[in-house]
Amino acid sequence: MTGTTETPSQARRVIVALIPLVLFLGLAVIFLMQLTSGRDNSIIPSALIGKPAPTLKLAPLEGAMTAGKPVPPLTTEAIRGKLTLVNVWASWCVPCRQEHPIILGLSRDDRLNVVGINYKDRNDAALAFLGELGNPFTAIGVDPKGTAAIDWGVYGIPESFLVGADGTILYKHVGPFSEDSLKNGLLPAIEKALAGTKG
């Protein structure tokens, strides 16, 4: 009885067949490590934190009103010298609608200036959104092509940035704010900024 030996071509076929399995197992291990790391995956590090905020020179959202006056355009002057939350939003963004009551609540905090970048939106739709849900913004800039969002390193909306009175980006939040992310993320960052501490 003679033993069977694999030819080089058979061994090659076995190796080629095993490659997808090895790749799948490798990806599964990485995915499992991410799930069990305990890290908050909504926190995406930003290269801009600790750096000056990008220049703002956006056109106004025509027709937006607050207290009977037109809402001014979003420019660097609109945030200079004030602790500011820059919120990137759009009327078509379902999570933006979800977080809007929180943004409205933040706009009532006298310590904070809340401004908005209206991202790739239609003017009439943005106005209808604010008309229905309320306008929390002291200034709004329209970003029809997403150029400003690229400058700010936006991954997807909503996103919010806390900018210090000196123009430095102090904090970034990706996705809609929740009561938990407010309590454990933004509010401590605001308190730290107001206390004049860094880090």
Side-chain angles (χ1 to χ4, degrees), residues 92-166:
W92 48 263
C93 164
V94 174
C96 296
R97 179 174 287 269
Q98 175 188 337
E99 82 165 354
H100 200 74
I102 291 175
I103 302 297
L104 270 172
L106 290 167
S107 73
R108 296 183 193 109
D109 186 336
D110 293 336
R111 306 170 303 166
L112 191 63
N113 178 36
V114 179
V115 300
I117 296 176
N118 184 233
Y119 176 76
K120 293 187 177 181
D121 209 350
R122 291 189 348 256
N123 194 80
D124 60 331
L127 291 174
F129 179 95
L130 295 176
E132 177 190 348
L133 301 175
N135 177 17
F137 305 116
T138 61
I140 301 173
V142 295
D143 189 19
K145 295 183 179 175
T147 309
I150 291 170
D151 292 343
W152 283 74
V154 171
Y155 289 88
I157 63 170
E159 285 194 22
S160 297
F161 300 83
L162 185 65
V163 181
D166 65 353

Side-chain angles (χ1 to χ4, degrees), residues 40 42-43 99 158-162 171-178 181-182 186:
D40 184 354
S42 71
I43 299 170
E99 82 165 354
E159 285 194 22
S160 297
F161 300 83
L162 185 65
Y171 173 84
K172 174 181 180 178
H173 181 76
V174 177
F177 279 114
S178 63
S181 61
L182 200 62
L186 180 62

